Amino acid sequence: MLLSQGNLRDKPLVDLTLPLLFVRGSKDSMCKAVIFAAVKARMSSVDLQVHVVEGGDHGLAVHAGKQSKTKTHDALNQVSAAICEFARMLEQKHVAELSIDGSQQQDAKSCHKQTHAVTDSSSLGQAPSAKRSKLVM
């Protein structure tokens, strides 16, 4: 959804019929909630989900003063979990419809097991001995 000289260019999104997951910040100034809702209402996709990062901007950063890094870290872990859940839903729903051989099915399952988000405590500005968080699927 790009705005160019006041014109909303949403036709490519509206015409999509494949399953979609949108991840957006609730304080996204580049894609206002009211505009997003109007475009979403016209979309053709039957499997359309939205994950909203509460307090997140367009880049999903959560600005919360001294806790900004921690809040953004928590939000991104939630985004990772939402993406993994969406992928699991697609796999369960559509794998029966697809004509794929066993090795490709195994590759898909292996991919889900390996999906993880690990945050190094030093990237959060915490002491090296601080507990690290890990999300493993």
Side-chain angles (χ1 to χ4, degrees):
M1 280 184 298
L2 298 174
L3 284 173
S4 176
Q5 297 177 346
N7 296 321
L8 186 64
R9 295 184 290 164
D10 59 348
K11 183 150 178 49
L13 289 176
V14 172
D15 292 342
L16 289 173
T17 58
L18 66 155
L20 297 167
L21 170 65
F22 284 95
V23 177
R24 61 178 316 275
S26 67
K27 294 185 178 181
D28 184 345
S29 62
M30 294 181 73
C31 179
K32 300 282 185 188
V34 112
I35 295 171
F36 177 76
V39 171
K40 182 180 168 234
R42 295 191 328 270
M43 293 184 69
S44 304
S45 175
V46 292
D47 287 324
L48 188 125
Q49 295 182 24
V50 179
H51 177 82
V52 178
V53 173
E54 202 55 50
D57 62 13
H58 188 71
L60 306 179
V62 179
H63 302 281
K66 291 182 180 181
Q67 293 188 348
S68 291
K69 288 182 182 179
T70 302
K71 295 282 186 182
T72 298
H73 165 264
D74 292 345
L76 294 179
N77 273 339
Q78 291 172 12
V79 168
S80 295
I83 292 169
C84 288
E85 184 58 34
F86 184 73
R88 272 193 225 91
M89 182 273 303
L90 290 178
E91 183 179 40
Q92 292 170 357
K93 187 172 184 178
H94 298 289
V95 84
E97 298 170 9
L98 300 175
S99 173
I100 60 177
D101 65 52
S103 66
Q104 288 172 317
Q105 286 180 350
Q106 187 57 39
D107 288 346
K109 289 177 184 175
S110 174
C111 176
H112 291 303
K113 288 180 183 176
Q114 294 175 13
T115 303
H116 65 281
V118 179
T119 303
D120 184 334
S121 63
S122 63
S123 69
L124 296 175
Q126 299 172 347
S129 62
K131 186 176 179 181
R132 295 179 181 188
S133 68
K134 186 173 184 179
L135 170 66
V136 178
M137 302 320 271

